[in-house]
Amino acid sequence: MKLLRYKVAERAALGAEKDGGIVNLDGLGFGSMLAIAAGGRSALEAVRAHLWKATPDLATKDATLLAPIERPGKYLAIGLNYKKHVEESAKIGVPAPKHQLWFNKQTTCIVGPYDDIDPGVTEKLDYEVELGAVIGSNAKGVAEKDAPQHVFGYFVANDVSARDWQFHTPTFTIGKSFDTHGPIGPWIVTADELADPHALRLRCYVNGELRQNSDTSQMLFSLWQQIAYLSTAFTLETGDLIATGTPEGVGIGMNPPRFLQPGDVVRCEIDGIGSIENRVRIKL
């Protein structure tokens, strides 16, 4: 299923995509996407049963889609997780990590799949298409083989980066967390719909120009390894988000670098999930 949040009469509503339209889920009593994720299999079965007999309330194209999950407890992102991205980063002086390289994106950065990106004060605005995952049941000390059981679903993410601010500190967090620098969506594809999250094409376009074009099979550390690694240190809780890394082709890695400019349109897409598209806001 494709589960989403959208705006109705200036309030957030829960929905699911069906035949190019949206079926409203508010009547099922969940109240939030987090509640559906926490409800596990029984919640998904209730949504599926409702979706099977329902007709769409409106066309998806006519809806204002919101970030598909309310503010999560954690938004964790792994850096340098594709070999060719490691290679392009080395050319600008970023060394290959010895371990999985993690940083936080503050959850206040999260916006909807078609919202504008506000550059803020950065002069080096960059894009990064990534496969995102939503944690379902809590995960602590999870073995790699058991990690799939803890994934609720998947989404498309753009890990928008303020490169000049990113390197102010070794944690990356401040340069990865500007307000609006976390577009996600367009919905959450439930885990049962994607047989293998490590066999998906992902692409990023800037003003129609293909900049990134790779496959999630090229990850250095699989999502299952990521969950096992993180959950060794701390509990991954229901609704937490994981961004699984970006491939080569980012603006800072080009010669010369090609950063985003006001008015640019960035489209990130992943086969089997969908696409998000965000315009860089023009400063007035």
Side-chain angles (χ1 to χ4, degrees):
M1 294 181 291
K2 296 180 176 70
L3 305 179
L4 54 86
R5 295 171 65 245
Y6 65 108
K7 187 180 291 187
V8 175
E10 299 306 311
R11 68 174 183 84
L14 289 173
E17 192 275 341
K18 181 179 181 180
D19 300 330
I22 295 175
V23 173
N24 184 277
L25 302 178
D26 285 348
L28 297 182
F30 290 107
S32 68
M33 190 66 72
L34 187 62
I36 297 177
R41 182 177 299 177
S42 62
L44 290 178
E45 288 176 351
V47 173
R48 189 174 289 108
H50 177 74
L51 190 60
W52 183 80
K53 62 184 180 182
T55 56
D57 297 280
L58 77 163
T60 305
K61 64 180 179 60
D62 295 330
T64 299
L65 298 188
L66 306 173
I69 193 164
E70 305 79 13
R71 177 116 26 110
K74 296 186 281 294
Y75 188 1
L76 302 159
I78 189 171
L80 300 172
N81 196 37
Y82 284 73
K83 183 175 183 293
K84 290 184 179 179
H85 181 47
V86 172
E87 293 172 353
E88 71 178 353
S89 298
K91 294 177 182 178
I92 59 171
V94 180
K98 297 180 180 179
H99 307 283
Q100 293 186 31
L101 176 64
W102 287 95
F103 55 88
N104 295 305
K105 285 181 75 73
Q106 303 292 3
T107 58
T108 46
C109 78
I110 295 173
V111 291
Y114 306 111
D115 290 344
D116 284 352
I117 297 168
D118 181 358
V121 298
T122 182
E123 296 180 356
K124 295 182 178 181
L125 187 67
D126 211 347
Y127 52 85
E128 293 188 1
V129 62
E130 306 202 14
L131 171 68
V134 185
I135 294 297
S137 59
N138 286 5
K140 171 61 179 174
V142 172
E144 184 180 333
K145 65 180 179 61
D146 297 322
Q149 302 172 25
H150 295 271
V151 175
F152 173 61
Y154 303 95
F155 59 90
V156 181
N158 184 355
D159 178 20
V160 181
S161 304
R163 299 298 190 192
D164 40 5
W165 282 68
Q166 176 182 340
F167 297 107
H168 283 187
T169 66
T171 63
F172 292 0
T173 298
I174 192 167
K176 294 283 191 171
S177 300
F178 279 31
D179 290 349
T180 76
H181 288 198
I184 62 172
W187 36 59
I188 295 169
V189 176
T190 53
D192 58 308
E193 279 210 10
L194 285 180
D196 184 4
H198 306 101
L200 304 173
R201 296 297 301 181
L202 69 171
R203 294 168 293 274
C204 179
Y205 298 85
V206 178
N207 300 328
E209 176 191 356
L210 182 61
R211 296 283 187 89
Q212 294 181 279
N213 184 16
S214 189
D215 190 290
T216 55
S217 65
Q218 300 303 304
M219 290 184 194
L220 296 174
F221 298 102
S222 73
L223 174 58
W224 317 141
Q225 291 171 316
Q226 295 174 38
I227 291 173
Y229 184 84
L230 290 170
S231 71
T232 300
F234 48 77
T235 302
L236 295 173
E237 299 175 304
T238 302
D240 286 350
L241 307 184
I242 293 176
T244 60
T246 199
E248 73 280 2
V250 296
I252 196 173
M254 297 181 177
N255 187 16
R258 297 175 66 185
F259 296 112
L260 296 173
Q261 302 299 318
D264 284 351
V265 176
V266 185
R267 178 181 176 87
C268 297
E269 56 187 39
I270 301 178
D271 291 354
I273 301 179
S275 63
I276 63 176
E277 187 170 291
N278 308 94
R279 178 176 175 268
V280 179
R281 189 175 301 165
I282 297 174
K283 298 180 181 179
L284 299 178

Short mmCIF file of all heavy atoms in Angstrom, two decimals, residues 45 64 90 197 200 222 224 257 261 265:
data_model
loop_
_atom_site.label_atom_id
_atom_site.label_comp_id
_atom_site.label_asym_id
_atom_site.label_seq_id
_atom_site.Cartn_x
_atom_site.Cartn_y
_atom_site.Cartn_z
N GLU A 45 -3.73 -4.61 8.12
CA GLU A 45 -4.84 -5.42 7.63
C GLU A 45 -6.14 -4.63 7.65
O GLU A 45 -6.96 -4.74 6.72
CB GLU A 45 -4.97 -6.69 8.47
CG GLU A 45 -3.86 -7.70 8.22
CD GLU A 45 -3.95 -8.91 9.13
OE1 GLU A 45 -4.78 -8.89 10.07
OE2 GLU A 45 -3.19 -9.87 8.91
N THR A 64 -3.05 18.34 -1.89
CA THR A 64 -1.80 18.87 -1.36
C THR A 64 -1.22 17.83 -0.42
O THR A 64 -1.75 17.61 0.68
CB THR A 64 -2.03 20.19 -0.61
OG1 THR A 64 -2.57 21.16 -1.50
CG2 THR A 64 -0.72 20.70 -0.03
N ALA A 90 36.38 11.97 -2.01
CA ALA A 90 37.82 11.96 -1.74
C ALA A 90 38.54 13.04 -2.55
O ALA A 90 39.54 13.62 -2.09
CB ALA A 90 38.40 10.59 -2.04
N PRO A 197 14.56 -3.85 -1.07
CA PRO A 197 14.91 -2.42 -1.16
C PRO A 197 16.31 -2.18 -1.69
O PRO A 197 16.69 -1.02 -1.89
CB PRO A 197 14.78 -1.96 0.29
CG PRO A 197 15.07 -3.17 1.10
CD PRO A 197 14.48 -4.31 0.32
N LEU A 200 16.67 -1.15 -6.36
CA LEU A 200 15.83 -0.07 -6.85
C LEU A 200 16.68 0.99 -7.56
O LEU A 200 17.71 1.41 -7.04
CB LEU A 200 15.09 0.59 -5.67
CG LEU A 200 14.22 -0.32 -4.79
CD1 LEU A 200 13.71 0.46 -3.59
CD2 LEU A 200 13.07 -0.91 -5.60
N SER A 222 24.19 -2.32 3.61
CA SER A 222 22.77 -2.48 3.33
C SER A 222 21.92 -1.86 4.44
O SER A 222 22.42 -1.59 5.54
CB SER A 222 22.43 -3.96 3.19
OG SER A 222 22.45 -4.59 4.47
N TRP A 224 19.79 -3.40 6.14
CA TRP A 224 19.78 -4.35 7.25
C TRP A 224 21.02 -4.19 8.12
O TRP A 224 20.95 -4.25 9.35
CB TRP A 224 19.67 -5.78 6.73
CG TRP A 224 18.70 -6.00 5.63
CD1 TRP A 224 18.84 -6.82 4.54
CD2 TRP A 224 17.38 -5.42 5.48
NE1 TRP A 224 17.73 -6.79 3.73
CE2 TRP A 224 16.81 -5.94 4.29
CE3 TRP A 224 16.62 -4.51 6.23
CZ2 TRP A 224 15.54 -5.59 3.83
CZ3 TRP A 224 15.36 -4.15 5.79
CH2 TRP A 224 14.83 -4.68 4.62
N PRO A 257 32.23 22.78 -8.95
CA PRO A 257 30.98 22.44 -8.25
C PRO A 257 29.78 23.17 -8.85
O PRO A 257 29.91 24.30 -9.34
CB PRO A 257 31.25 22.90 -6.81
CG PRO A 257 32.73 22.88 -6.68
CD PRO A 257 33.26 23.30 -8.02
N GLN A 261 20.60 26.88 -7.32
CA GLN A 261 20.35 28.31 -7.35
C GLN A 261 18.86 28.58 -7.17
O GLN A 261 18.02 27.71 -7.45
CB GLN A 261 20.82 28.89 -8.70
CG GLN A 261 22.28 28.65 -9.01
CD GLN A 261 23.21 29.26 -7.99
OE1 GLN A 261 22.98 30.39 -7.54
NE2 GLN A 261 24.27 28.54 -7.61
N VAL A 265 14.63 23.54 -9.89
CA VAL A 265 13.67 22.52 -9.51
C VAL A 265 14.40 21.19 -9.42
O VAL A 265 15.05 20.76 -10.38
CB VAL A 265 12.52 22.42 -10.53
CG1 VAL A 265 11.58 21.27 -10.17
CG2 VAL A 265 11.75 23.74 -10.57
#
